């Protein structure tokens, strides 16, 4: 995770009060507040391409993609995190501020050297506890390569690897997207 810890334990209420007044984004993990670092142009372009591809396929339906500006709450851990994007159908929120979603069905992370370990381990463990989550997508920045973790009927998680020439098929929604459509135009393939 590319951030600096404040080292002081905070309550969720303290975090939300500070976060809602802040110009910068912070995550709340294990009672600590972590400042979020910026991202590379490559990372941002991939995130945008993913949201464009999903958004076009979801248009007119009850489900919507959301940007990294919308916060997620993981009730099992009490953590507030930002992903690189997610899809939610009929959103539920933590409170009347309507800025923190509790029920995503798809979560996206674009891997960076500084966040990859946390995205694969800490965040994924928390995300797995969200009952509505069916698909967790990890996108490589170096090549067209997607790790698609999906919840099986028995609650276990399986992983498919999607590369150039293959199609991502979501579990949560009837969406199929060629891998190349999820990466920016002109991306080195």
């Amino acid at each position: 995770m590319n951030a600096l810890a404040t080292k002081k334990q905070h309550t969720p209420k303290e975090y939300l009060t500070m976060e809602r007044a802040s110009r910068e984004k912070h995550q709340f993990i294990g009672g600590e507040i972590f400042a979020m670092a910026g991202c590379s142009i490559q990372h941002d372009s991939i995130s945008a391409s993913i949201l464009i591809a999903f958004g076009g396929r979801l248009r007119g339906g009850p489900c919507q993609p959301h940007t990294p500006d919308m916060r997620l709450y993981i009730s099992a851990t009490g953590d507030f995190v930002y992903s690189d994007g997610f899809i939610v159908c009929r959103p539920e929120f933590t409170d009347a501020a309507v800025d923190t979603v509790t029920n995503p069905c798809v979560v996206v992370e674009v891997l960076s050297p500084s966040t990859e370990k946390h995205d694969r381990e800490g965040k994924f463990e928390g995300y797995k506890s969200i009952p509505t989550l069916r698909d967790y997508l990890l996108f490589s920045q170096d090549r067209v390569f997607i790790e698609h973790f999906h919840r099986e009927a028995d609650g276990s998680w399986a992983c498919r690897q999607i590369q150039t020439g293959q199609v991502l098929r979501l579990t949560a929604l009837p969406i199929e997207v060629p891998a190349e459509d999820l990466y920016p135009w002109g991306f080195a393939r």
Side-chain angles (χ1 to χ4, degrees), residues 57-83:
R57 286 162 174 83
L58 293 168
R59 189 173 307 280
C63 304
Q64 297 178 342
H66 288 274
T67 70
D69 287 330
M70 181 64 72
R71 194 171 34 255
L72 292 171
Y73 176 65
I74 303 172
S75 63
T77 62
D79 294 342
F80 292 86
V81 299
Y82 291 93
S83 67

Side-chain angles (χ1 to χ4, degrees), residues 128 150-158:
K128 284 185 206 179
H150 54 281
R151 192 185 306 260
E152 299 286 338
D154 66 0
S156 65
W157 288 83

